[in-house]
Amino acid sequence: SVPGAHCAGRLPPSLQMVSIPAGVFTMGTDDPQIKQDGEAPARRVTVDAFYMDAYEVSNADFERFVNATGYLTEAEKFGDSFVFEGLLSEQVKAGIQQAVAAAPWWLPVKGASWRHPEGPDSTVLHRPDHPVLHVSWNDAVAYCAWAGKRLPTEAEWEYSCRGGLHDRLFPWGNKLQPRGQHYANLWQGEFPVTDTGEDGFRGTAPVDAFPPNGYGLYNIVGNAWEWTADWWAVRHSAEEALNPKGPPSGKDRVKKGGSYMCHKSYCYRYRCAARSQNTPDSSASNLGFRCAADHLPITS
Ligand SMILES: *[C@@H]1O[C@H](CO)[C@@H](O)[C@H](O)[C@H]1NC(C)=O
Ligand SMILES: [Cu+2]
């Protein structure tokens, strides 16, 4: 943990960005672990220097935004959001029928939102320093704009994730648990039945938990999925690219990093090259974001 990262004494979010140097890196991989996600091919990508939030946007950060603007998230407008059933109370679970056929552990919960991540009977009061959840891509864009920032492109996100290392699986290297240590908030145990919490957490962790990567970024994989600016596509040109921004249009937006729900058995997506997608109005109990910027925002 670093000074200023904790709830009470947290610096304004704009002061918690890290400088990411310009450079060339290998985006994607020629050894895809989940082929249908379009992890391949590996391609040489050049990225200009930029700034990246050191942490995922927290509940306290998002509350500051909502207090200042009166912003209403899409989950609040729609009146529901998807919650992982393992986090729900029996009362909330009992009232729900509909489910996602391919992923029955996702339940649409009435009244679930960033303030009530597990439904109306839950709050974020005791976890201001956890990542904000149930925020759509549109909500994330609105927050970043308010903060004088923007969402990172997928290329910027992946370059940041790699932390200066070349062609490694994880932000810290190729071993999931070097010297037996946990480096991210993931799922341990049999998904979706038992998360043993061996890494210290069931559900989300504070945004400053676990060691940072080589660029000083915390929880860049695991904890909460992170929205990026790009539209989703699974076919990529192997050609070299400069500051790529993804396809010009699409149906889904790219999310990166995996979440506390990811286990190698069904969601081996806590690798830098891994990727997934959702429609821009989607929200869920494992999906958040962090912002990027070309210049450090001016703070008052
Ligand atoms: C948001 O406003 C409420 C009500 O005025 C206040 O209690 C809370 O501390 C504010 N939150 C932040 C993060 O500034
Ligand atoms: Cu704290």
Side-chain angles (χ1 to χ4, degrees):
S1 179
V2 294
H6 258 261
C7 328
R10 280 193 82 176
L11 297 165
S14 56
L15 296 181
Q16 301 172 33
M17 299 196 93
V18 299
S19 171
I20 309 289
V24 184
F25 80 109
T26 302
M27 184 169 176
T29 174
D30 283 331
D31 183 22
Q33 305 295 306
I34 306 177
K35 280 202 184 73
Q36 67 271 24
D37 285 352
E39 296 176 3
R43 54 248 187 234
R44 212 175 132 84
V45 167
T46 303
V47 180
D48 288 339
F50 64 102
Y51 294 90
M52 188 78 155
D53 283 349
Y55 309 103
E56 291 170 335
V57 172
S58 70
N59 288 314
D61 295 335
F62 201 77
E63 184 173 279
R64 210 171 292 117
F65 161 60
V66 169
N67 278 6
T69 60
Y71 186 85
L72 207 58
T73 60
E74 293 199 278
E76 290 167 294
K77 286 184 209 162
F78 296 149
D80 62 23
S81 188
F82 280 98
V83 182
F84 171 53
E85 62 150 7
L87 298 175
L88 288 174
S89 67
E90 289 306 320
Q91 292 99 298
V92 171
K93 231 190 296 190
I96 303 166
Q97 282 119 44
Q98 186 194 345
V100 184
W105 47 85
W106 283 117
L107 297 178
V109 175
K110 281 201 171 58
S113 71
W114 74 272
R115 285 189 199 277
H116 306 289
E118 295 86 39
D121 61 349
S122 66
T123 85
V124 292
L125 292 176
H126 59 290
R127 44 185 153 156
D129 56 348
H130 285 226
V132 67
L133 306 170
H134 296 292
V135 281
S136 69
W137 185 89
N138 296 310
D139 299 333
V141 165
Y143 173 94
C144 292
W146 169 78
K149 305 179 188 180
R150 58 176 174 77
L151 282 178
T153 64
E154 182 180 7
E156 287 172 332
W157 190 99
E158 189 169 324
Y159 179 58
S160 304
C161 181
R162 295 180 180 283
L165 300 177
H166 176 70
D167 200 22
R168 300 295 206 280
L169 290 171
F170 309 117
W172 54 86
N174 275 336
K175 267 192 85 177
L176 180 59
Q177 287 176 244
R179 291 172 305 283
Q181 250 218 287
H182 288 278
Y183 277 74
N185 182 15
L186 306 171
W187 185 282
Q188 292 91 38
E190 192 196 333
F191 185 87
V193 188
T194 324
D195 183 353
T196 64
E198 188 195 293
D199 56 16
F201 303 94
R202 295 190 185 88
T204 55
V207 296
D208 63 345
F210 302 98
N213 76 356
Y215 288 150
L217 301 171
Y218 291 77
N219 292 292
I220 190 79
V221 299
N223 215 22
W225 278 101
E226 299 180 14
W227 288 112
T228 75
D230 295 17
W231 287 111
W232 169 263
V234 292
R235 285 166 178 273
H236 314 285
S237 158
E239 238 168 81
E240 242 184 278
L242 170 65
N243 298 316
K245 290 180 182 341
S249 63
K251 183 173 81 62
D252 295 312
R253 296 287 183 175
V254 177
K255 62 179 184 181
K256 296 282 277 187
S259 80
Y260 64 86
M261 287 173 60
C262 280
H263 183 272
K264 192 171 179 180
S265 64
Y266 91 109
C267 170
Y268 187 28
R269 293 194 174 88
Y270 40 90
R271 294 168 292 114
C272 294
R275 52 206 304 274
S276 192
Q277 85 282 22
N278 279 111
T279 58
D281 61 358
S282 296
S283 62
S285 59
N286 66 346
L287 178 48
F289 66 104
R290 77 180 70 209
C291 310
D294 297 327
H295 309 282
L296 279 182
I298 296 153
T299 53
S300 50

